[in-house]
């Protein structure tokens, strides 16, 4: 599927966000903060799949890589990490689309349909407490 066609087909379910510039990424790579933690530099959501360009530490230096996410239910707020790409990312909407499209085609994923059955995770039940925070014995 072509990039422009997909944007038109998905409408509001297609979104590209860029939170860091190429210059900011390069500056961080040169001067890694001591307290650095992974940072998402850009994200492209296309229906039920998403790709994030993530700045992360590897081998004592920073790299810009990509993580691919999927949904197991259209209404679910959570995304499930599907894969991390080996290649270095580029903060460009077109590049991110083509990287995502390659993963979609190679793995039989879909922009418009959920390809996974919904997973039921563990839920945490709150124990009843008194107003002062102690657990009530029953």
């Amino acid at each position: 599927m072509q990039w422009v066609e997909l944007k038109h087909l998905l409408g509001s379910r297609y979104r590209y966000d860029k939170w860091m510039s190429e210059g900011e990424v390069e500056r961080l790579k040169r001067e890694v903060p001591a307290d650095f933690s992974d940072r998402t530099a850009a994200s492209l959501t296309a229906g039920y799949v998403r790709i994030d360009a993530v700045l992360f530490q590897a081998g004592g230096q920073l790299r810009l890589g990509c993580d691919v996410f999927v949904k197991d239910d259209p209404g679910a707020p959570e995304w499930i990490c599907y894969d991390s790409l080996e290649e270095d990312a580029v903060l460009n909407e077109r590049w991110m689309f083509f990287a995502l499209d390659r993963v979609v085609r190679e793995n039989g994923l879909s922009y418009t349909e959920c390809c996974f059955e919904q997973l039921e995770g563990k839920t945490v039940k709150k124990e009843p407490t008194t107003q002062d925070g102690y657990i009530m014995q029953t």
Side-chain angles (χ1 to χ4, degrees):
M1 179 168 288
Q2 294 296 321
W3 179 40
V4 176
E5 291 173 31
L6 184 66
K7 285 174 83 167
H8 180 70
L9 172 72
L10 294 174
S12 65
R13 294 184 306 156
Y14 180 98
R15 181 179 175 144
Y16 174 72
D17 294 298
K18 186 174 176 182
W19 295 286
M20 298 175 74
S21 69
E22 290 81 358
E24 289 172 291
V25 169
E26 291 307 314
R27 183 183 55 75
L28 284 169
K29 283 181 174 182
R30 282 191 311 272
E31 304 164 17
V32 182
D35 62 342
F36 182 84
S37 60
D38 295 359
R39 297 183 191 171
T40 302
S43 182
L44 187 145
T45 303
Y48 298 116
V49 293
R50 183 181 95 204
I51 188 169
D52 288 354
V54 180
L55 194 58
F56 66 98
Q57 272 193 328
Q61 60 185 7
L62 293 186
R63 282 192 55 208
L64 187 62
C66 284
D67 293 329
V68 176
F69 297 86
V70 296
K71 285 221 176 193
D72 66 352
D73 177 54
E78 302 89 15
W79 288 89
I80 300 166
C81 188
Y82 182 79
D83 198 5
S84 294
L85 306 183
E86 295 294 322
E87 67 215 71
D88 290 333
V90 177
L91 296 181
N92 172 284
E93 181 179 2
R94 179 172 282 236
W95 184 93
M96 289 180 70
F97 168 76
F98 285 115
L100 180 61
D101 192 56
R102 186 181 70 248
V103 172
V104 167
R105 283 184 286 106
E106 289 174 357
N107 294 282
L109 301 176
S110 173
Y111 296 107
T112 58
E113 295 178 30
C114 291
C115 298
F116 304 96
E117 69 181 67
Q118 187 172 1
L119 301 174
E120 296 301 327
K122 291 184 178 181
T123 56
V124 178
K125 291 184 181 179
K126 256 187 152 177
E127 293 194 31
T129 60
T130 61
Q131 284 184 334
D132 58 5
Y134 292 99
I135 296 174
M136 294 172 44
Q137 299 286 327
T138 54

